[in-house]
Amino acid sequence: MTVSKWLEANKWYVAAYIVVIGLVYHEIIAAMVADWARDDNYSHGFLVPLVSAYFLWANRKNILQAEVKPAGWGLWIVLLGVAQLVVGSLATEYFTMRTSMIVVTGGAIMYIMGWEPYKRMQLPLLYLLLMVPIPVIIYDSMTMPLKLFVAKVSVKGLVAFGYPVLREGNIIMLPNITLEVADACSGLRSLMSLVALSVAFAFLTQRGVWKKWVLIVSALPVAVITNILRVFVTGVLAKHYGKVAAEGFFHEFAGFMVFFVAMVIMALIGWALKLGEKRHES
């Protein structure tokens, strides 16, 4: 029996799953959506379910043709997800609670339909992990080293261009102004959004597995380099135009431009990978 025929005969399974997930996870989902709306670091979360749904829809023919062979061991994955939920609730650890929903879903697919349907739905399912905000302790442990690195390289760039500047940690001191490399300038915010976009871009445009990974991994250096450029340019403008160049509209606009430049660079990397692919085919 194919997934298509199974769905025709067992639509109530899907309805029952949606009801159960809604009852168990509605507060957890609502809190996560609130995080997306409140914290710019995770605003890409609104797009992740839509992209995941697109992946599912784009591969629907392949999924519907998969043969249904229920796998009993999928129940153990469901129980693992439930254990995650319980432990996360007891410890008030949101990442564990939120990801348990994805683990439970994957286990349920394996238990009810089997490995082959799960494998064909694996990409849209695992992509949902990118909508879950990372634990605060991990975010903080990554942010400070990135801020220090961005500040250090930016100051070296300013010195190389002849600007008098000193650095103390993530504080950059120019003769007329003192700048702080804040969390938003560390590159971590744009990195998380870039990773979510690069994964989608990679699977939509690249054929080879290694090309997909090249595009995805490229998000890290691109995010860091563009934020170094942001701090460097801010330092130059602040030296000549003072506080107005480092705050308010100009600061927010610089953040937008950095992300735009990062996306352009990622698009160019993707184009270069496709160019090599076309040359190889010819």
Side-chain angles (χ1 to χ4, degrees):
M1 179 185 294
T2 62
V3 171
S4 177
K5 292 181 179 179
W6 184 92
L7 286 173
E8 289 179 5
N10 300 279
K11 291 180 180 179
W12 65 273
Y13 268 114
V14 179
Y17 169 76
I18 293 173
V19 171
V20 170
I21 288 295
L23 291 173
V24 175
Y25 287 98
H26 69 281
E27 291 184 0
I28 295 172
I29 295 172
M32 183 167 61
V33 172
D35 284 345
W36 299 344
R38 181 178 63 252
D39 192 339
D40 289 339
N41 291 312
Y42 305 113
S43 56
H44 64 274
F46 287 105
L47 293 176
V48 171
L50 299 178
V51 175
S52 177
Y54 173 77
F55 282 144
L56 199 63
W57 178 82
N59 197 35
R60 66 193 183 282
K61 291 182 180 179
N62 190 33
I63 294 171
L64 291 174
Q65 291 170 359
E67 188 175 353
V68 173
K69 288 184 178 180
W73 52 270
L75 181 60
W76 291 103
I77 298 177
V78 173
L79 294 175
L80 174 63
V82 173
Q84 264 189 259
L85 176 62
V86 173
V87 172
S89 299
L90 293 174
T92 318
E93 210 295 297
Y94 296 107
F95 182 81
T96 303
M97 287 189 286
R98 291 163 179 173
T99 54
S100 72
M101 178 173 57
I102 300 169
V103 175
V104 168
T105 302
I109 293 171
M110 290 184 195
Y111 179 64
I112 297 171
M113 297 185 182
W115 169 251
E116 191 61 31
Y118 167 79
K119 189 170 66 174
R120 300 186 187 191
M121 288 185 269
Q122 191 174 42
L123 173 59
L125 183 64
L126 295 182
Y127 189 76
L128 290 174
L129 290 171
L130 295 174
M131 72 181 179
V132 182
I134 62 176
V136 174
I137 188 171
I138 295 178
Y139 180 87
D140 289 342
S141 66
M142 293 172 64
T143 299
M144 182 52 73
L146 280 172
K147 286 195 296 186
L148 293 175
F149 178 76
V150 168
K152 183 178 180 180
V153 177
S154 301
V155 165
K156 286 186 176 181
L158 290 168
V159 171
F161 277 81
Y163 289 94
V165 58
L166 293 174
R167 179 182 69 89
E168 187 173 325
N170 64 318
I171 304 298
I172 298 175
M173 293 168 280
L174 292 158
N176 61 324
I177 191 172
T178 297
L179 303 174
E180 178 186 1
V181 179
D183 290 356
C185 300
S186 68
L188 190 57
R189 175 186 297 178
S190 55
L191 173 61
M192 290 186 290
S193 298
L194 271 180
V195 167
L197 291 173
S198 65
V199 170
F201 187 47
F203 279 93
L204 288 172
T205 63
Q206 306 300 320
R207 292 184 183 178
V209 174
W210 73 269
K211 291 183 179 182
K212 293 174 183 177
W213 278 109
V214 166
L215 196 56
I216 293 168
V217 173
S218 295
L220 174 57
V222 168
V224 174
I225 290 170
T226 50
N227 274 277
I228 289 172
L229 179 63
R230 175 186 184 180
V231 174
F232 172 80
V233 172
T234 299
V236 172
L237 294 176
K239 172 63 175 66
H240 294 287
Y241 300 103
K243 189 176 180 180
V244 67
E247 297 180 355
F249 169 79
F250 290 101
H251 183 73
E252 295 299 324
F253 181 73
F256 168 78
M257 285 304 299
V258 161
F259 191 70
F260 175 76
V261 170
M263 289 193 295
V264 170
I265 294 174
M266 294 300 296
L268 289 174
I269 294 173
W271 173 79
L273 291 170
K274 291 293 289 181
L275 183 66
E277 184 178 278
K278 291 178 181 178
R279 286 178 176 174
H280 179 72
E281 290 177 352
S282 62

